[in-house]
Amino acid sequence: GAVGADQPAIESMPQARVGELALTLGYRQLHGEGALEPASRERMRAAIDHAPREVRDALLDMAVRLRRETWVNDKRRMERTIPVFEALASADPRWHPPHGQLGYALLDQVKSDWARSKQALDRAVELRGDAVHEGRYYQYARAVCAIHLDQAFERGGPSDAATRESVLEVLRGARRDLDDEWDTLLQKPD
């Protein structure tokens, strides 16, 4: 339902109640009959902002699981993870997993948002640093976005030298991150 004046301000709620609200609204966004209405999504975002780390971890796990189960065959359902990843990334801007997962979801939605996806993945790579075992596919997904953001590629023509070098640099990063998996991925990219 809509957020009414009778609902207490999240800032004044006990921590346990805030966590419960974040979990409830996050679960409804991911698994309810329909996605949350905008007012309820804002309340979910506010609850996630103030929720303890354990609650954020649980919401991340739920959203990642749903994204991984639906990204190929049920993209509309997978898109319901986007507001949860956005809220998690906003709540803890230095935590790379929500940024990376947001990037994947924006890439894999029905109509890919190449620019926002690449931006989220760029941030995830920056935050992840050298911990490549966390988010091994960030660079690969960044490369896919970079290629699709190239206007020449979209027209079927050759890329200019600067764009080509930029894409190659991202691909080199993907090759480093994926190491032994690189050849397998090239044979079966999906």
Side-chain angles (χ1 to χ4, degrees):
V3 175
D6 60 332
Q7 293 181 325
I10 288 174
E11 298 82 12
S12 66
M13 297 170 92
Q15 189 75 42
R17 177 71 181 108
V18 172
E20 179 185 329
L21 181 62
L23 284 169
T24 300
L25 292 174
Y27 186 87
R28 284 184 194 158
Q29 170 63 30
L30 296 170
H31 300 290
E33 288 298 313
L36 294 175
E37 296 297 318
S40 293
R41 274 199 310 271
E42 281 307 309
R43 189 143 174 92
M44 176 190 72
R45 179 184 287 268
I48 290 172
D49 275 348
H50 293 87
R53 181 57 181 248
E54 302 81 33
V55 169
R56 292 180 192 167
D57 287 343
L59 284 168
L60 180 70
D61 289 345
M62 281 193 288
V64 167
R65 191 172 312 115
L66 181 63
R67 188 193 63 74
R68 287 181 177 160
E69 291 170 356
T70 58
W71 76 275
V72 173
N73 295 318
D74 193 353
K75 291 186 180 289
R76 292 277 181 218
R77 187 154 176 235
M78 187 279 304
E79 289 174 353
R80 292 174 68 171
T81 65
I82 293 171
V84 175
F85 292 135
E86 288 173 331
L88 289 166
S90 173
D92 190 349
R94 303 228 22 97
W95 188 29
H96 78 83
H99 294 277
Q101 294 296 322
L102 175 60
Y104 293 150
L106 292 167
L107 172 79
D108 293 329
Q109 65 185 340
V110 172
K111 184 172 179 357
S112 298
D113 187 336
W114 306 115
R116 282 187 62 215
S117 176
K118 185 168 183 308
Q119 182 179 29
L121 290 160
D122 288 346
R123 182 73 175 138
V125 168
E126 174 188 331
L127 293 171
R128 177 199 67 188
D130 293 331
V132 173
H133 62 282
E134 300 176 20
R136 290 177 59 95
Y137 292 93
Y138 290 172
Q139 295 276 28
Y140 178 78
R142 285 179 69 220
V144 170
C145 293
I147 290 166
H148 283 280
L149 287 168
D150 177 10
Q151 298 295 324
F153 172 82
E154 290 297 315
R155 290 190 308 269
S159 300
D160 62 66
T163 301
R164 193 169 37 256
E165 185 52 39
S166 172
V167 169
L168 284 172
E169 184 58 34
V170 176
L171 284 169
R172 286 183 199 106
R175 172 69 179 100
R176 277 189 308 273
D177 286 2
L178 292 169
D179 197 23
D180 294 338
E181 295 178 51
W182 180 254
D183 293 333
T184 303
L185 184 64
L186 290 180
Q187 292 170 6
K188 189 178 179 197
D190 292 332

